[in-house]
Amino acid sequence: MSKPIALITGGSRGIGFGVAQALALQGYDLAINGLRTAEEASAAIESLRTLGARVEYCRGDISCATDRKAILDTVRQQFGALHLLVNNAGVAPKVRNDILEMEETSWDFVMNCNLKGPFFLTQAVANWMIRQKQLSPDTCFSIITITSISATVVSTNRGEYCVSKAGLAMVSQLFATRLGEHGIAVYEVRPGVIKTDMTTSVSSKYDKLLAEGLCIQGRWGLPEDVGRTVASLARGDLPYSTGQVIMVDGGLTVPRL
């Protein structure tokens, strides 16, 4: 197969779409996962195809074991291989409640999608990549997980989201450690304030904070900022850095006086 294959969860919108665009431009063929119907995702899929990529849409909920299996079965059937997994899909709480008022249903909803789903998808992909690596030792395989500055930056009105991202950061380090002996690189990309559908409801809040100096680089982050970072990692630009966290936050988390 002449082109590498990437599976991007949540790849038809927001950060995932920015990642998909960057990888398509780098020569990847793409398996795009999402919850929307194929018809609803069709505009995004066709846009990616105009960049020269073969693109297959794999609808499914990564928090569901049956759906995870179906997604990977589709990738196997359509492409026969998988060289890069980008764990990107994630949800915010449906209601931002103070942690003193958070409901268990919200905790379960967020943790299932943001933590359990990526963990077990990564587990399945890792085992497949190990088998592929044994058959093709010179081929590059990698796993890149998109987390958030919320892994360490506290928001008490969405505690379940913060905990899920902190847990996902550990998942990345666990798999980096376990897969090192197999030559499979694992990275975490940690975005800051990115302009997507998820941040639309708080855009005025962050417009004000950015104007007041929230970030060293005083602008919103964009999906393509994250996409270019993922493409660089996938290309092998940081070959001796497995397990590392790459910040894409405009300097938001740099300690300043």
Side-chain angles (χ1 to χ4, degrees), residues 10 12 15-16 28 42 52 56 69 74 85 92 97 109 117 193 223 235:
S12 67
I15 289 174
Y28 275 80
S42 62
E56 299 291 339
K69 182 179 183 304
T74 298
L85 168 64
N97 277 333
F109 169 67
V193 181
R235 191 166 55 240

Side-chain angles (χ1 to χ4, degrees), residues 4-19:
I5 311 302
L7 168 61
I8 307 165
T9 64
S12 67
R13 63 201 308 173
I15 289 174
F17 185 67
V19 170

Side-chain angles (χ1 to χ4, degrees), residues 75-117:
V75 176
R76 288 188 185 92
Q77 292 162 9
Q78 296 297 322
F79 296 104
L82 180 61
H83 304 94
L84 170 64
L85 168 64
V86 181
N87 286 310
N88 167 76
V91 295
K94 294 179 181 179
V95 178
R96 291 187 175 214
N97 277 333
D98 185 281
I99 56 172
L100 297 178
E101 306 295 334
M102 182 202 306
E103 297 181 356
E104 281 192 48
T105 54
S106 181
W107 172 277
D108 291 343
F109 169 67
V110 172
M111 298 295 277
N112 284 343
C113 181
N114 292 8
L115 185 54
K116 186 183 83 170

